[in-house]
Amino acid sequence: MRRAILWPRVLFAMTLLVPSLIDAAEVTQKIRIGLPSVALTYTPFYVAQEKGFLKKAALEAEYIQMNTAIQPQALINGNINFFPSLATGISAAVAGLPLVVVLNFYTITPWMLVTSKEINKPQDVLGKKVAVSGIRTTGHQLMTAWFKKYEINEKEVGFIMTGGTSGSFAALASGQVAGAVLTPPYDDKAVTKGFKKFMLIGDLLDIPTSGLVATRAEVTNHRDRVQKTIAALFEAIAWIRANRQETGKMIADKFKITPAEADGAYETLLSMFNKDGRLPAKVARGYLDLLRQERPLPADLDPQKFLDFSMLPGGK
């Protein structure tokens, strides 16, 4: 009889306890990230996923391949939560879309013009085609600067828009173009196929590279989700720095390159990382100056309007 009396009390106590246990368990949030292609600069995303850092942050991430040109609108429409191209994000924000850069990975990007061996001087590209990811992408802007430097009429060179670095490599390898703007490890991979690194062009302009772009609504309404994503990517970068051999193997497997090529790509990657995840004001202002060549922009336009690093460690 006593047991019959005690049992309801036990059940009542459990009903009080269970909700607190449920609240203590962190709910997994789903995120979608748009990536235009497989590229070395996106390695932190690959590591964050494959090594479980996103899952550790209670995030279930889906990577969606989509052309860089459609990513800003996909972000606004809610089809994705983030994309990596900072140049694309800032350009779209300048045009009026409510986008903001919340993380920057790199200080430099080793964009390389890789050509067939018949190209021996800049003027040799006249009448030929060059592959870039898309119109107004970093590769396209760098090539435009390169044409100006060597006084080449851009109209006498044809562009093929490939949607991503891997597509540009494929266009070069198949003979569709005489040159392509590539980043590691595709430049080294092209060399093994008989092409040559004609010239480093990544240092011609101050152009932001890869990191994380979000909508202002995402930052305001889902700040914890943005912070968790940033934290997972920071953890991935720390892992890359500490695990040379395993990162090299991952690069070799993902890009189908030799261990030696992967080791070189790893060295390049390490040299590119910045220290704090921020985009220098000089680079942001330089990119706005570049955009002014395409469209009218106020002279006093503050690049800080499109940057929000308050969710970084020690951010403000």
Side-chain angles (χ1 to χ4, degrees), residues 90-312:
I90 293 175
S91 179
V94 167
L97 294 184
L99 306 185
V100 62
V101 174
V102 297
L103 174 63
N104 170 46
F105 291 146
Y106 305 116
T107 57
I108 60 169
T109 304
W111 289 93
M112 183 75 63
L113 174 60
V114 181
T115 67
S116 61
K117 289 188 175 180
E118 291 71 31
I119 304 298
N120 296 307
K121 59 184 185 296
Q123 289 71 23
D124 288 345
V125 301
L126 292 171
K128 296 180 174 61
K129 295 179 180 179
V130 175
V132 295
S133 296
I135 192 74
R136 296 192 181 89
T137 60
T138 299
H140 179 256
Q141 290 167 327
L142 289 170
M143 279 304 301
T144 299
W146 187 76
F147 290 147
K148 290 180 179 179
K149 179 178 180 178
Y150 291 100
E151 299 180 343
I152 293 173
N153 186 349
E154 182 177 338
K155 295 181 180 179
E156 294 184 50
V157 182
F159 279 116
I160 287 185
M161 310 300 172
T162 63
T165 309
S166 59
S168 296
F169 168 78
L172 181 67
S174 63
Q176 297 178 53
V177 294
V181 181
L182 304 176
T183 52
Y186 290 106
D187 53 354
D188 289 321
K189 191 173 181 180
V191 169
T192 63
K193 290 185 173 294
F195 298 94
K196 66 180 181 182
K197 295 182 184 181
F198 185 80
M199 188 175 294
L200 175 69
I201 62 174
D203 58 354
L204 293 177
L205 299 170
D206 282 329
I207 299 181
T209 310
S210 295
L212 207 63
V213 178
T215 62
R216 293 193 175 279
E218 182 80 17
V219 170
T220 300
N221 301 326
H222 303 285
R223 191 174 182 84
D224 65 322
R225 187 161 66 193
V226 180
Q227 288 178 311
K228 288 177 181 178
T229 305
I230 291 173
L233 291 169
F234 259 95
E235 197 165 356
I237 292 172
W239 185 91
I240 291 168
R241 292 183 186 277
N243 293 273
R244 180 189 189 106
Q245 186 173 357
E246 196 169 349
T247 303
K249 185 179 185 305
M250 185 182 295
I251 291 172
D253 292 343
K254 186 166 290 290
F255 295 97
K256 305 296 186 292
I257 57 177
T258 67
E261 291 169 341
D263 192 61
Y266 177 82
E267 281 294 329
T268 299
L269 190 63
L270 284 189
S271 71
M272 291 163 55
F273 282 130
N274 64 22
K275 294 181 179 180
D276 59 8
R278 288 161 175 75
L279 182 69
K282 173 183 177 294
V283 176
R285 286 194 298 269
Y287 188 58
L288 289 184
D289 288 341
L290 179 62
L291 292 178
R292 285 189 178 93
Q293 299 176 20
E294 304 173 356
R295 66 189 88 165
L297 295 179
D300 60 349
L301 183 61
D302 185 358
Q304 295 300 320
K305 181 180 179 181
F306 314 115
L307 310 176
D308 182 354
F309 299 130
S310 63
M311 289 164 286
L312 296 176

